[in-house]
Amino acid sequence: MINRQVFLKTVSVYIVGYFVLLATILGMMYAYPKPELHMLVNSLHTSFLDTFFKYLSVLAEWPLYVLALLPLLWKRFKFPLFFAVCELSGGTVLQILKHLISHDRPVSVFENYPDLELPLVPGVDMYHGNSFPSGHASTFFMFCTCCVILMAIHCIREGKLRDLKTKILFNATLLLLLIFAALGAYSRVYISQHFLSDICVGSIIGFTTPFLMLYLFRDRMRRIKTKK
């Protein structure tokens, strides 16, 4: 059984990095009204960034799910099963919130602000309702957090974090996963499908659900073999 303190210390770079990012976003949300904040964080558009964020956003619609299933080709079940449980649990909460709160998306909200021109990306089909929270942001953080948790468990069990070089490489990987998740979530703001508040709550669901599922099903997780 992996010691809880050892595990939390191993993933501390990812956890601390996320909370710094979350605190920054919450501070911005407190300081600016929603439409003005959307314009502020969405003020730099180029043709390269339009293309980059347009296709980055699509990763959460199906490519990440395909990537999560790839370990099955090598008869490794832990990641696909863990991700599926997390995505179903977090996705259920997210869909309930979406339909209970039912906030308008930016394209609808900005109709009430004719003096503000909503930044749009060519070729993106715009949605009008069920903006809060962002399912794409949740999926990006769900996938990356699942990766972080299972990587940490594997490295701790195998004793692979004993030398400084390996620790640095491991922590760098955690930061890259955090950056990837953050950019994926931000892509929804860049293409004006969501507000910053939408991706903020979506990220919280995606970040916390894997840790909660790990705690609830830790005994079953230990019984899942990596090979058939």
Side-chain angles (χ1 to χ4, degrees), residues 68-81 154 224-228:
L69 292 174
L70 285 182
L72 294 177
L73 297 177
W74 294 273
K75 298 181 180 180
R76 296 178 181 271
F77 306 101
K78 185 171 288 188
F79 184 85
L81 181 58
H154 174 73
I224 299 173
K225 296 182 180 180
T226 56
K227 292 186 178 180
K228 190 175 180 181

Side-chain angles (χ1 to χ4, degrees), residues 7-163:
F7 172 76
L8 291 176
K9 183 179 179 181
T10 303
V11 298
S12 61
V13 168
Y14 185 79
I15 293 175
V16 172
Y18 174 75
F19 279 106
V20 169
L21 180 63
L22 181 62
T24 302
I25 293 174
L26 291 174
M28 295 173 68
M29 288 168 54
Y30 177 79
Y32 296 94
K34 183 185 289 187
E36 285 79 356
L37 179 57
H38 186 80
M39 297 297 294
L40 177 65
V41 299
N42 208 353
S43 58
L44 179 62
H45 272 247
T46 66
S47 57
F48 170 77
L49 291 177
D50 285 358
T51 302
F52 175 75
F53 284 116
K54 174 184 175 181
Y55 289 105
L56 178 62
S57 176
V58 175
L59 292 182
E61 295 177 7
W62 62 267
L64 287 183
Y65 294 94
V66 174
L67 191 60
L69 292 174
L70 285 182
L72 294 177
L73 297 177
W74 294 273
K75 298 181 180 180
R76 296 178 181 271
F77 306 101
K78 185 171 288 188
F79 184 85
L81 181 58
F82 184 52
F83 179 71
V85 170
C86 292
E87 187 67 14
L88 286 172
S89 302
T92 299
V93 173
L94 188 139
Q95 289 300 323
I96 291 173
L97 290 175
K98 267 186 179 292
H99 291 86
L100 280 179
I101 300 174
S102 191
H103 281 179
D104 288 334
R105 301 221 181 200
V107 69
S108 295
V109 172
F110 271 76
E111 291 177 355
N112 300 318
Y113 297 87
D115 55 323
L116 297 177
E117 184 178 355
L118 180 66
L120 298 176
V121 174
V124 175
D125 294 328
M126 305 304 296
Y127 298 101
H128 293 262
N130 295 331
S131 182
F132 180 90
S134 168
H136 285 68
S138 175
T139 297
F140 274 111
F141 274 92
M142 196 85 69
F143 180 86
C144 292
T145 304
C146 286
C147 288
V148 167
I149 289 174
L150 294 185
M151 282 173 51
I153 292 175
H154 174 73
C155 289
I156 292 170
R157 284 178 176 171
E158 299 297 324
K160 294 184 176 182
L161 299 175
R162 294 173 181 173
D163 61 278

Side-chain angles (χ1 to χ4, degrees), residues 173-186:
T173 302
L174 298 192
L175 286 176
L176 287 175
L177 284 168
L178 179 61
I179 291 171
F180 173 70
L183 286 175
Y186 171 72

